[in-house]
């Protein structure tokens, strides 16, 4: 079905229809643009959401729990999903919106061209019609004039007595005023000449009108059978291509979403896999491995028999409660460096202030955590050493090649790099050896603690640790602590406290304590105490097993916390609580 044959007389309506088609195409293009903007905004919001909840710590500090790693995996998958939404927006922008806007401009230009051709054809047909109509009107007018002249001639021919004035009036009436009037010409002859003239003019107008009519009919046939059908067919083809283009962009609109479905499905599958990877048992194991200190369980508290005083003061005839000697708990070694760091308000007049203990050996960590960190460091150093060894081997091979083929390079140019690699290897070996020593120390202490705990549990009579840190096989002394014993000795630098001076203002008393076991403070900074002695507490135990106290005489020093019974006075002035 063709527009040219069916709609030959609907030029204006087709003009409006083609304009509506272009407007509809641009409306759909606007819809696609708003849709891709929504996709871009959605992807941006998703990325901002992921960025907001992503950990801001380094990978080494991130928790290793499966619940955390699964959540981070979900965030990564969501980032990929946001990327696919951006792909959809980009595809819609290039393959749909951009294509529609480009095609809209082409349609506008093509429609304008076809309509201009149609208007030109219509204008030419109108011009032909006007020429034909003018010739028709002239032919009609000439026919009327010829008829009047014929009627006048017949009247004069029938009336021979007509006067000159009547002939003149007749001449004026029939339009002979433009001719030379000859008074001697017979009226009859003049009327006859006028009649012939008008008749000739009418014949010429008739011929002209016939020619113009024939020409107009020919042009009109061409207009409605050739020009207009051709123009309308072009408009029809243009409109059909517009419809086809809309169908293609509809499909592209859907395909932009369908193309990312496989990748989006993988994103969702990744999220489901991350959810399935959550393992509560493994997380519990990680908690144990992260916080396990390696320390043994605390021992049972000994029975404190307060009836000993009664047995001392009882009469000879009174049966008293036998005195049970309490065993002094082992004293923790006093670290002189730690003692120095705990001393408050000291003046370092001679030399520099001692530096804080280095954390290079992870000595601040519990044994188990320290062992893990040292093992991890040794593994890292061994990997670095292997890389350096591989690089050295590669340089040696290259040097051999250069020596065999001097044209390829100078072997001496590799010597500085080889030397540098060897130096780095020696440094790494030294670091590995140092860390292995620390690891051996930690593992040895751990084995010693486990062996000591096992001995206490399975062989209590055979080996009882004394306050000096030694073992005795005397079962008779099992419940009798040795008076005047001292904690295990540790070699101290005699110049450790040379530069240390006390302030004038003494520390305030924050409590008092009663000595349970005698202690001969052989280490510098400790007090010599005897059983049942009462001391002033001026600084609490900070977790190292030592409490700072002051005697009645004013002498200050550290005593083992397990050797005294402390009563704190929380409301006294200057009391300090350490957490």
């Amino acid at each position: 079905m063709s527009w040219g044959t069916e709609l030959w007389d609907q030029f204006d309506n087709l003009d409006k229809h083609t304009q509506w088609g272009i407007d509809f195409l641009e409306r759909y293009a606007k819809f696609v643009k708003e849709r891709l903007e929504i996709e871009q905004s959605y992807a941006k919001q998703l990325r901002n959401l992921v960025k907001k909840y992503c950990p801001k710590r380094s990978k080494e500090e991130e928790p290793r729990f499966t619940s955390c790693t699964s959540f981070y995996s979900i965030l990564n998958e969501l980032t990929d999903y946001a990327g696919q939404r951006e792909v959809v927006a980009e595809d819609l922008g290039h393959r749909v919106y951009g294509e529609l806007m480009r095609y809209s401009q082409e349609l506008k230009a093509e429609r304008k061209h076809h309509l201009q051709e149609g208007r030109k054809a219509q204008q030419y047909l109108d011009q032909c019609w006007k020429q034909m109509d003018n010739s028709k009107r002239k032919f009609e007018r000439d026919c009327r004039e010829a008829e009047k002249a014929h009627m006048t001639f017949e009247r004069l021919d029938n009336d021979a007595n007509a006067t000159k004035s009547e002939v003149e009036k007749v001449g004026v009436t029939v339009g002979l005023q433009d001719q030379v009037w000859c008074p001697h010409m017979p009226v009859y002859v003049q009327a006859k000449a006028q009649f012939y003239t008008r008749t000739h003019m009418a014949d010429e107008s008739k011929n002209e009108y016939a020619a113009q009519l024939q020409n107009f009919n020919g042009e009109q046939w061409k207009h409605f059978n050739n020009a207009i059908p051709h123009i309308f067919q072009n408009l029809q083809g243009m409109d059909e291509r517009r419809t086809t283009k809309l169908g293609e962009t509809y499909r592209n609109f859907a395909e932009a979403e369908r193309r990312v479905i496989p990748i989006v499905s993988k994103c969702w599958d990744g999220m489901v896999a991350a959810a399935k990877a959550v393992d509560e048992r493994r997380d519990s194991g990680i908690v144990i491995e992260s916080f396990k200190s390696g320390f043994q369980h605390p021992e049972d508290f000994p029975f404190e028999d307060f009836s000993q005083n009664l047995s001392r003061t009882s009469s000879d005839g009174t049966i008293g409660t036998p005195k049970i000697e309490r065993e002094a708990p082992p004293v923790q070694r006093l670290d002189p460096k730690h003692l120095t760091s705990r001393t408050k308000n000291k003046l370092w007049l001679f030399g520099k202030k001692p530096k804080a203990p280095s954390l290079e050996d992870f000595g601040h960590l519990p044994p188990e955590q320290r062992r893990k960190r040292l093992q991890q460091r040794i593994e890292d150093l061994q990997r670095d050493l292997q890389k350096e060894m591989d690089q050295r081997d590669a340089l040696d091979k290259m040097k051999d090649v250069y020596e065999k083929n001097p044209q390829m390079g100078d072997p001496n140019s590799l010597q500085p790099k080889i030397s540098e690699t060897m130096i780095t290897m020696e440094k790494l070996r030294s670091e590995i050896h140092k860390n292995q020593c620390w690891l051996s120390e930690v593992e040895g202490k751990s084995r010693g603690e486990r062996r000591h705990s096992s001995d206490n549990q399975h062989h209590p009579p055979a080996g009882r640790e004394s306050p000096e840190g030694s073992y005795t096989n005397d079962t008779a002394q099992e419940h009798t602590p040795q008076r005047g014993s001292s904690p295990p000795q540790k070699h101290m630098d005699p110049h450790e406290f040379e530069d240390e001076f006390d302030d004038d203002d003494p520390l305030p008393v924050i409590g008092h304590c009663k000595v349970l076991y005698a202690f001969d403070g052989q280490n510098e900074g400790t007090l010599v105490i005897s059983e049942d002695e009462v001391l002033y507490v001026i600084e609490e135990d900070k977790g190292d097993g030592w409490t700072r106290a002051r005697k009645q005489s004013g002498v200050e020093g550290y005593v083992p916390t397990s050797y005294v019974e402390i009563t704190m006075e929380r409301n006294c002035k200057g009391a300090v609580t350490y957490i």
Side-chain angles (χ1 to χ4, degrees):
M1 188 176 294
S2 175
W3 288 8
T5 57
E6 302 292 339
L7 303 175
W8 60 271
D9 58 345
Q10 299 296 321
F11 184 84
D12 294 336
N13 288 331
L14 291 180
D15 183 4
K16 295 178 181 179
H17 171 74
T18 52
Q19 181 61 44
W20 171 86
I22 294 176
D23 293 341
F24 180 79
L25 184 142
E26 291 182 343
R27 182 183 180 189
Y28 174 65
K30 184 178 179 182
F31 161 77
V32 175
K33 181 181 179 182
E34 293 183 2
R35 167 65 192 280
L36 68 90
E37 289 176 351
I38 291 174
E39 292 289 347
Q40 290 174 345
S41 177
Y42 180 47
K44 182 178 180 181
Q45 291 177 4
L46 285 178
R47 290 188 180 277
N48 291 337
L49 180 66
V50 171
K51 183 178 180 181
K52 178 180 179 182
Y53 285 93
C54 272
K56 297 179 175 59
R57 297 174 294 180
S58 62
K59 293 183 178 180
E60 296 179 355
E61 298 177 352
E62 289 183 7
R64 296 170 294 166
F65 301 110
T66 57
S67 56
C68 296
T69 55
S70 296
F71 176 62
Y72 299 151
S73 298
I74 290 175
L75 292 179
N76 292 333
E77 296 293 344
L78 196 60
T79 301
D80 296 340
Y81 176 75
Q84 295 307 309
R85 303 322 305 176
E86 292 175 345
V87 170
V88 171
E90 184 178 358
D91 205 359
L92 290 176
H94 290 290
R95 301 188 60 184
V96 182
Y97 176 72
E99 184 68 18
L100 286 174
M101 295 307 297
R102 181 190 63 79
Y103 191 69
S104 174
Q105 298 299 324
E106 294 179 358
L107 284 181
K108 289 180 179 179
E110 184 179 358
R111 174 179 175 274
K112 181 179 180 181
H113 174 71
H114 295 325
L115 293 180
Q116 286 178 350
E117 287 185 349
R119 291 190 181 94
K120 288 180 180 180
Q122 189 65 39
Q123 290 174 0
Y124 179 72
L125 184 63
D126 292 343
Q127 184 179 0
C128 292
W129 182 84
K130 288 181 180 179
Q131 292 178 357
M132 184 272 297
D133 187 65
N134 291 334
S135 63
K136 177 183 176 182
R137 292 177 182 276
K138 185 175 181 299
F139 171 62
E140 183 182 5
R141 185 172 60 251
D142 290 343
C143 287
R144 284 197 302 266
E145 293 294 333
E147 186 179 358
K148 289 181 182 179
H150 181 262
M151 291 175 64
T152 303
F153 171 73
E154 287 182 350
R155 185 173 56 84
L156 291 176
D157 187 31
N158 295 327
D159 188 4
N161 298 321
T163 62
K164 180 181 178 180
S165 60
E166 291 177 352
V167 175
E168 290 177 355
K169 291 179 181 180
V170 172
V172 173
T173 302
V174 298
L176 298 178
Q177 64 273 13
D178 55 344
Q179 298 184 10
V180 179
W181 178 258
C182 182
H184 301 287
M185 181 181 295
V187 176
Y188 173 78
V189 175
Q190 292 183 6
K192 186 177 181 179
Q194 183 67 21
F195 168 67
Y196 288 151
T197 302
R198 290 299 179 183
T199 302
H200 179 70
M201 292 176 61
D203 291 339
E204 291 181 351
S205 296
K206 179 180 179 180
N207 294 331
E208 178 67 21
Y209 168 63
Q212 292 294 334
L213 179 62
Q214 184 179 3
N215 180 65
F216 172 75
N217 289 333
E219 295 298 332
Q220 181 176 256
W221 187 90
K222 292 179 182 178
H223 178 78
F224 289 109
N225 290 276
N226 292 331
I228 290 299
H230 178 70
I231 294 172
F232 282 8
Q233 285 177 359
N234 291 335
L235 289 174
Q236 181 181 0
M238 180 194 72
D239 193 70
E240 289 176 352
R241 290 195 306 273
R242 175 191 63 83
T243 306
T244 303
K245 178 62 70 174
L246 281 174
E248 292 177 356
T249 54
Y250 291 163
R251 287 192 296 272
N252 292 336
F253 183 85
E255 288 295 331
E257 185 78 24
R258 178 180 293 178
R259 273 190 290 271
V260 301
I261 287 178
I263 302 179
V264 171
S265 298
K266 290 182 180 179
C267 293
W268 298 130
D269 293 341
M271 294 182 187
V272 173
K276 293 180 179 179
V278 176
D279 187 353
E280 66 278 4
R281 295 290 184 181
R282 183 177 178 183
D283 286 358
S284 298
I286 291 175
V287 173
I288 294 173
E289 292 296 327
S290 299
F291 300 109
K292 182 171 64 175
S293 64
F295 294 122
Q296 298 296 326
H297 293 172
E299 298 180 356
D300 296 339
F301 284 95
F303 175 76
E304 299 182 11
D305 189 359
F306 296 100
S307 62
Q308 293 181 3
N309 294 332
L310 297 177
S311 63
R312 294 176 182 175
T313 58
S314 61
S315 61
D316 296 338
T318 304
I319 299 177
T321 304
K323 181 178 181 181
I324 301 176
E325 295 292 342
R326 292 170 296 179
E327 179 185 2
V331 180
Q332 186 172 354
R333 297 179 183 274
L334 181 62
D335 189 353
K337 293 184 179 180
H338 183 65
L339 180 64
T340 306
S341 63
R342 291 181 55 180
T343 306
K344 295 184 179 180
N345 301 323
K346 301 298 180 182
L347 299 177
W348 307 93
L349 299 180
F350 304 101
K352 296 182 180 179
K353 183 176 180 179
K355 296 183 180 179
S358 175
L359 303 181
E360 183 182 5
D361 60 347
F362 303 111
H364 62 292
L365 297 176
E368 187 66 20
Q369 302 300 321
R370 182 185 180 190
R371 181 182 63 80
K372 293 179 181 178
R373 297 294 290 274
L374 288 173
Q375 286 180 343
Q376 183 64 37
R377 180 188 287 174
I378 291 172
E379 292 176 0
D380 296 340
L381 291 173
Q382 288 176 345
R383 282 194 295 269
D384 295 341
L385 178 60
Q386 185 62 41
K387 292 180 181 178
E388 294 295 330
M389 293 173 65
D390 295 341
Q391 184 176 0
R392 180 203 58 186
D393 295 341
L395 291 172
D396 290 340
K397 291 180 180 178
M398 188 179 298
K399 183 178 180 181
D400 294 339
V401 172
Y402 287 174
E403 289 176 351
K404 296 178 180 179
N405 302 290
Q407 67 275 10
M408 297 183 64
D410 184 10
N412 295 327
S413 62
L414 300 176
Q415 190 59 39
K417 186 64 177 179
I418 294 175
S419 302
E420 181 182 354
T421 305
M422 297 296 294
I423 294 174
T424 305
M425 290 171 56
E426 290 299 325
K427 290 181 180 179
L428 290 173
R429 289 194 181 99
S430 176
E431 288 293 325
I432 292 174
H433 177 71
K434 181 170 60 177
N435 283 272
Q436 286 177 343
C437 293
W438 289 334
L439 181 60
S440 300
E441 179 184 354
V442 174
E443 292 177 345
K445 287 184 179 179
S446 299
R447 288 193 295 269
E449 291 176 357
R450 288 194 294 269
R451 182 172 60 253
H452 172 60
S453 175
S454 176
D455 293 341
N456 287 340
Q457 293 177 4
H458 300 287
H459 307 285
R464 174 71 62 180
E465 185 180 1
S466 65
E468 296 92 336
S470 61
Y471 291 86
T472 176
N473 295 326
D474 189 0
T475 57
Q477 298 178 0
E478 180 177 354
H479 299 286
T480 306
Q482 298 180 4
R483 305 297 179 178
S485 61
S486 62
Q489 293 294 324
K490 184 175 180 180
H491 297 286
M492 299 177 59
D493 187 358
H495 303 287
E496 184 74 32
F497 300 96
E498 287 183 358
D499 299 334
E500 186 178 332
F501 293 89
D502 294 335
D503 289 336
D504 295 336
D505 297 333
L507 296 175
V509 177
I510 60 176
H512 63 278
C513 63
K514 181 181 178 181
V515 179
L516 301 177
Y517 312 101
F519 176 71
D520 53 352
Q522 297 181 359
N523 295 336
E524 186 174 355
T526 60
L527 288 178
V528 179
I529 57 177
S530 59
E531 187 177 0
D532 296 332
E533 185 178 358
V534 178
L535 306 175
Y536 296 112
V537 179
I538 59 177
E539 185 177 328
E540 289 186 72
D541 186 356
K542 295 182 179 179
D544 55 0
W546 294 88
T547 300
R548 192 173 183 181
R550 180 188 298 137
K551 285 193 171 187
Q552 302 289 341
S553 60
V555 180
E556 296 180 1
Y558 290 93
V559 297
T561 304
S562 58
Y563 276 49
V564 296
E565 180 182 0
I566 301 175
T567 302
M568 302 302 299
E569 299 177 2
R570 299 294 181 183
N571 297 327
C572 68
K573 183 177 181 182
V576 181
T577 302
Y578 298 94
I579 299 176

